[in-house]
Amino acid sequence: MNRVVHPIEEESYRRLRARLDTSHFPPLTRAVVERVIHSAADLDYATDLVMAEANLQKAHAALHAGAPVVVDVEMVGAGITRRETVCRLKDAVAGAGLTRSAHAIRLAHEQVGPGALWVIGNAPTALEELLTLDADPALVIGLPVGFVGAVESKAALRESGLPAVSNISEKGGSAVAAAALNALLYHPTSAEEKL
């Protein structure tokens, strides 16, 4: 993917790297950490994020092979550039014991099936619902924000054994979730690196 980087972004990354050494991270982990920090101007994400390079490599390959990208809210989808996303929130309804966000995840799962990349940046109940489904994801970016359920849903994601990007604290949100996906989207494939 050819992408022109604006000089302001270049300078932002220069300043980020002047304040935080990220050179010890493996390539995709570094890309995710830096893009999330860049999106939030929050250096604490360097120690708050949890991910495995091997999972990122598989997700990167799936993403560049055309795997669907599902988002929990339109704001996450709006932040993901140069890629169509699936968001079923407009079609979802709340019911007894089921939030609208959780229902949207069910609808999206029925639509995309296994192998998708799931990007959840808003609703802990969306992440909780995803964990009840047999989604067989390429990756779950689980970064919902909030004081109720966010920490617990992200802990449950890590305990599930699914390939994931999460964080330990209450922090998160649409911008950082989209940034984590964009990091994989912008990172060159091996074919692009040879050009």
Side-chain angles (χ1 to χ4, degrees), residues 58-95:
K58 290 176 186 172
H60 181 260
L63 180 64
H64 288 275
V69 176
V70 180
V71 298
D72 63 331
V73 293
E74 299 275 345
M75 280 183 65
V76 174
I80 295 171
T81 57
R82 301 181 186 191
R83 189 62 187 268
E84 293 296 318
T85 61
V86 173
C87 181
R88 298 296 302 273
L89 194 59
K90 287 181 181 177
D91 306 316
V93 293

Short mmCIF file of all heavy atoms in Angstrom, two decimals, residues 58-95:
data_model
loop_
_atom_site.label_atom_id
_atom_site.label_comp_id
_atom_site.label_asym_id
_atom_site.label_seq_id
_atom_site.Cartn_x
_atom_site.Cartn_y
_atom_site.Cartn_z
N LYS A 58 0.24 -12.98 11.59
CA LYS A 58 -0.86 -13.71 10.94
C LYS A 58 -2.00 -12.75 10.58
O LYS A 58 -2.59 -12.85 9.51
CB LYS A 58 -1.36 -14.82 11.87
CG LYS A 58 -0.37 -15.95 12.02
CD LYS A 58 -0.85 -16.98 13.02
CE LYS A 58 0.25 -18.02 13.26
NZ LYS A 58 -0.09 -18.92 14.36
N ALA A 59 -2.29 -11.82 11.47
CA ALA A 59 -3.35 -10.85 11.21
C ALA A 59 -2.98 -9.93 10.06
O ALA A 59 -3.82 -9.60 9.21
CB ALA A 59 -3.64 -10.04 12.47
N HIS A 60 -1.73 -9.52 10.01
CA HIS A 60 -1.24 -8.67 8.93
C HIS A 60 -1.43 -9.36 7.59
O HIS A 60 -1.93 -8.77 6.63
CB HIS A 60 0.24 -8.35 9.20
CG HIS A 60 0.88 -7.46 8.18
ND1 HIS A 60 1.67 -7.96 7.17
CD2 HIS A 60 0.87 -6.11 8.02
CE1 HIS A 60 2.12 -6.96 6.43
NE2 HIS A 60 1.64 -5.83 6.93
N ALA A 61 -1.06 -10.64 7.54
CA ALA A 61 -1.23 -11.41 6.30
C ALA A 61 -2.71 -11.53 5.93
O ALA A 61 -3.08 -11.35 4.76
CB ALA A 61 -0.60 -12.79 6.45
N ALA A 62 -3.55 -11.81 6.90
CA ALA A 62 -4.99 -11.95 6.63
C ALA A 62 -5.58 -10.62 6.15
O ALA A 62 -6.37 -10.58 5.19
CB ALA A 62 -5.71 -12.42 7.89
N LEU A 63 -5.20 -9.54 6.79
CA LEU A 63 -5.70 -8.21 6.41
C LEU A 63 -5.33 -7.89 4.98
O LEU A 63 -6.17 -7.45 4.18
CB LEU A 63 -5.13 -7.16 7.37
CG LEU A 63 -5.53 -5.71 7.13
CD1 LEU A 63 -7.03 -5.52 7.32
CD2 LEU A 63 -4.76 -4.80 8.08
N HIS A 64 -4.07 -8.13 4.62
CA HIS A 64 -3.60 -7.80 3.28
C HIS A 64 -4.08 -8.81 2.24
O HIS A 64 -4.01 -8.52 1.04
CB HIS A 64 -2.08 -7.63 3.28
CG HIS A 64 -1.66 -6.36 3.96
ND1 HIS A 64 -1.60 -5.15 3.31
CD2 HIS A 64 -1.33 -6.10 5.25
CE1 HIS A 64 -1.25 -4.21 4.16
NE2 HIS A 64 -1.07 -4.76 5.34
N ALA A 65 -4.60 -9.94 2.69
CA ALA A 65 -5.22 -10.90 1.77
C ALA A 65 -6.71 -10.63 1.59
O ALA A 65 -7.38 -11.34 0.85
CB ALA A 65 -5.00 -12.33 2.29
N GLY A 66 -7.22 -9.60 2.28
CA GLY A 66 -8.60 -9.20 2.08
C GLY A 66 -9.60 -9.65 3.13
O GLY A 66 -10.80 -9.57 2.91
N ALA A 67 -9.13 -10.13 4.29
CA ALA A 67 -10.05 -10.54 5.35
C ALA A 67 -10.95 -9.36 5.73
O ALA A 67 -10.51 -8.21 5.75
CB ALA A 67 -9.28 -11.02 6.58
N PRO A 68 -12.22 -9.64 6.05
CA PRO A 68 -13.12 -8.55 6.44
C PRO A 68 -12.69 -7.90 7.76
O PRO A 68 -12.09 -8.56 8.61
CB PRO A 68 -14.47 -9.23 6.61
CG PRO A 68 -14.31 -10.66 6.35
CD PRO A 68 -12.87 -10.93 6.04
N VAL A 69 -13.02 -6.63 7.89
CA VAL A 69 -12.75 -5.88 9.12
C VAL A 69 -14.10 -5.47 9.70
O VAL A 69 -14.88 -4.78 9.04
CB VAL A 69 -11.89 -4.64 8.84
CG1 VAL A 69 -11.70 -3.82 10.12
CG2 VAL A 69 -10.54 -5.03 8.24
N VAL A 70 -14.36 -5.91 10.93
CA VAL A 70 -15.61 -5.60 11.61
C VAL A 70 -15.32 -4.60 12.73
O VAL A 70 -14.35 -4.79 13.48
CB VAL A 70 -16.26 -6.87 12.21
CG1 VAL A 70 -17.56 -6.52 12.91
CG2 VAL A 70 -16.48 -7.92 11.13
N VAL A 71 -16.16 -3.57 12.84
CA VAL A 71 -16.00 -2.57 13.90
C VAL A 71 -17.26 -2.52 14.74
O VAL A 71 -18.35 -2.85 14.27
CB VAL A 71 -15.68 -1.17 13.30
CG1 VAL A 71 -14.37 -1.20 12.53
CG2 VAL A 71 -16.80 -0.68 12.40
N ASP A 72 -17.10 -2.10 15.99
CA ASP A 72 -18.27 -2.05 16.87
C ASP A 72 -19.08 -0.78 16.67
O ASP A 72 -20.30 -0.79 16.88
CB ASP A 72 -17.88 -2.23 18.34
CG ASP A 72 -16.98 -1.15 18.92
OD1 ASP A 72 -16.21 -0.54 18.17
OD2 ASP A 72 -17.04 -0.94 20.14
N VAL A 73 -18.46 0.31 16.27
CA VAL A 73 -19.18 1.58 16.06
C VAL A 73 -18.63 2.28 14.82
O VAL A 73 -17.49 2.06 14.41
CB VAL A 73 -19.06 2.52 17.28
CG1 VAL A 73 -19.79 1.96 18.48
CG2 VAL A 73 -17.62 2.83 17.62
N GLU A 74 -19.45 3.15 14.26
CA GLU A 74 -19.07 3.88 13.04
C GLU A 74 -17.82 4.73 13.25
O GLU A 74 -17.05 4.94 12.32
CB GLU A 74 -20.22 4.78 12.59
CG GLU A 74 -21.50 4.04 12.25
CD GLU A 74 -21.55 3.51 10.83
OE1 GLU A 74 -20.73 3.93 9.99
OE2 GLU A 74 -22.42 2.66 10.57
N MET A 75 -17.62 5.24 14.47
CA MET A 75 -16.43 6.06 14.73
C MET A 75 -15.15 5.27 14.51
O MET A 75 -14.16 5.82 14.01
CB MET A 75 -16.46 6.64 16.14
CG MET A 75 -17.35 7.85 16.27
SD MET A 75 -17.31 8.57 17.92
CE MET A 75 -15.62 9.12 18.01
N VAL A 76 -15.14 4.01 14.90
CA VAL A 76 -13.96 3.18 14.64
C VAL A 76 -13.78 3.02 13.14
O VAL A 76 -12.67 3.17 12.61
CB VAL A 76 -14.07 1.81 15.35
CG1 VAL A 76 -12.90 0.91 14.96
CG2 VAL A 76 -14.11 1.98 16.86
N GLY A 77 -14.86 2.72 12.45
CA GLY A 77 -14.79 2.55 11.00
C GLY A 77 -14.31 3.81 10.30
O GLY A 77 -13.54 3.74 9.34
N ALA A 78 -14.75 4.97 10.78
CA ALA A 78 -14.33 6.24 10.18
C ALA A 78 -12.83 6.46 10.33
O ALA A 78 -12.20 7.11 9.49
CB ALA A 78 -15.10 7.40 10.81
N GLY A 79 -12.25 5.92 11.40
CA GLY A 79 -10.83 6.09 11.64
C GLY A 79 -9.94 5.13 10.86
O GLY A 79 -8.73 5.33 10.78
N ILE A 80 -10.54 4.09 10.31
CA ILE A 80 -9.78 3.11 9.53
C ILE A 80 -9.75 3.59 8.09
O ILE A 80 -10.78 3.69 7.43
CB ILE A 80 -10.38 1.70 9.66
CG1 ILE A 80 -10.25 1.23 11.11
CG2 ILE A 80 -9.71 0.73 8.69
CD1 ILE A 80 -10.99 -0.05 11.42
N THR A 81 -8.57 3.91 7.61
CA THR A 81 -8.44 4.52 6.29
C THR A 81 -8.17 3.46 5.23
O THR A 81 -7.56 2.43 5.49
CB THR A 81 -7.31 5.55 6.30
OG1 THR A 81 -6.11 4.91 6.72
CG2 THR A 81 -7.62 6.70 7.25
N ARG A 82 -8.66 3.74 4.07
CA ARG A 82 -8.39 2.91 2.88
C ARG A 82 -8.86 1.47 3.01
O ARG A 82 -8.27 0.56 2.42
CB ARG A 82 -6.91 2.95 2.53
CG ARG A 82 -6.42 4.35 2.26
CD ARG A 82 -4.97 4.35 1.89
NE ARG A 82 -4.53 5.74 1.78
CZ ARG A 82 -3.38 6.09 1.27
NH1 ARG A 82 -2.56 5.18 0.82
NH2 ARG A 82 -3.04 7.34 1.20
N ARG A 83 -9.89 1.26 3.79
CA ARG A 83 -10.41 -0.10 3.93
C ARG A 83 -11.88 -0.04 4.31
O ARG A 83 -12.25 0.71 5.20
CB ARG A 83 -9.62 -0.86 5.00
CG ARG A 83 -9.91 -2.33 5.10
CD ARG A 83 -9.54 -3.02 3.78
NE ARG A 83 -9.96 -4.38 3.77
CZ ARG A 83 -9.21 -5.41 4.16
NH1 ARG A 83 -7.98 -5.20 4.58
NH2 ARG A 83 -9.67 -6.63 4.12
N GLU A 84 -12.70 -0.80 3.63
CA GLU A 84 -14.11 -0.91 3.99
C GLU A 84 -14.24 -1.70 5.29
O GLU A 84 -13.45 -2.61 5.55
CB GLU A 84 -14.89 -1.61 2.88
CG GLU A 84 -14.97 -0.84 1.58
CD GLU A 84 -15.73 0.46 1.71
OE1 GLU A 84 -16.78 0.48 2.39
OE2 GLU A 84 -15.26 1.48 1.15
N THR A 85 -15.22 -1.33 6.08
CA THR A 85 -15.47 -2.05 7.33
C THR A 85 -16.93 -2.46 7.41
O THR A 85 -17.78 -1.91 6.71
CB THR A 85 -15.12 -1.18 8.56
OG1 THR A 85 -15.93 -0.01 8.56
CG2 THR A 85 -13.64 -0.78 8.56
N VAL A 86 -17.20 -3.41 8.28
CA VAL A 86 -18.56 -3.86 8.54
C VAL A 86 -18.95 -3.35 9.93
O VAL A 86 -18.24 -3.61 10.90
CB VAL A 86 -18.65 -5.41 8.51
CG1 VAL A 86 -20.03 -5.88 8.96
CG2 VAL A 86 -18.29 -5.94 7.13
N CYS A 87 -20.05 -2.62 10.00
CA CYS A 87 -20.61 -2.17 11.27
C CYS A 87 -22.12 -2.37 11.19
O CYS A 87 -22.77 -1.79 10.34
CB CYS A 87 -20.28 -0.71 11.55
SG CYS A 87 -20.93 -0.13 13.15
N ARG A 88 -22.66 -3.17 12.09
CA ARG A 88 -24.09 -3.48 12.05
C ARG A 88 -24.88 -2.79 13.15
O ARG A 88 -26.01 -3.16 13.42
CB ARG A 88 -24.28 -5.00 12.12
CG ARG A 88 -23.67 -5.79 10.97
CD ARG A 88 -24.32 -5.47 9.63
NE ARG A 88 -25.75 -5.72 9.63
CZ ARG A 88 -26.32 -6.89 9.36
NH1 ARG A 88 -25.59 -7.93 9.05
NH2 ARG A 88 -27.64 -7.02 9.40
N LEU A 89 -24.31 -1.76 13.76
CA LEU A 89 -24.96 -1.09 14.87
C LEU A 89 -26.30 -0.48 14.47
O LEU A 89 -27.26 -0.50 15.23
CB LEU A 89 -24.03 -0.04 15.47
CG LEU A 89 -24.44 0.52 16.82
CD1 LEU A 89 -24.55 -0.58 17.88
CD2 LEU A 89 -23.44 1.58 17.28
N LYS A 90 -26.41 0.05 13.25
CA LYS A 90 -27.67 0.67 12.81
C LYS A 90 -28.79 -0.36 12.71
O LYS A 90 -29.96 0.00 12.82
CB LYS A 90 -27.47 1.35 11.46
CG LYS A 90 -26.66 2.62 11.53
CD LYS A 90 -26.52 3.26 10.16
CE LYS A 90 -25.70 4.53 10.25
NZ LYS A 90 -25.49 5.14 8.93
N ASP A 91 -28.45 -1.61 12.49
CA ASP A 91 -29.45 -2.68 12.34
C ASP A 91 -29.80 -3.35 13.67
O ASP A 91 -30.71 -4.17 13.72
CB ASP A 91 -28.93 -3.76 11.38
CG ASP A 91 -28.51 -3.18 10.05
OD1 ASP A 91 -29.24 -2.34 9.52
OD2 ASP A 91 -27.44 -3.58 9.55
N ALA A 92 -29.04 -3.04 14.71
CA ALA A 92 -29.16 -3.77 15.97
C ALA A 92 -30.22 -3.16 16.87
O ALA A 92 -30.53 -1.96 16.78
CB ALA A 92 -27.82 -3.77 16.68
N VAL A 93 -30.77 -4.00 17.74
CA VAL A 93 -31.73 -3.55 18.74
C VAL A 93 -31.36 -4.15 20.09
O VAL A 93 -30.87 -5.28 20.16
CB VAL A 93 -33.18 -3.93 18.37
CG1 VAL A 93 -33.65 -3.19 17.14
CG2 VAL A 93 -33.30 -5.43 18.16
N ALA A 94 -31.61 -3.39 21.13
CA ALA A 94 -31.38 -3.90 22.48
C ALA A 94 -32.54 -4.80 22.87
O ALA A 94 -33.67 -4.60 22.42
CB ALA A 94 -31.24 -2.75 23.47
N GLY A 95 -32.26 -5.77 23.69
CA GLY A 95 -33.30 -6.67 24.18
C GLY A 95 -33.00 -7.05 25.61
O GLY A 95 -32.04 -6.56 26.21
#
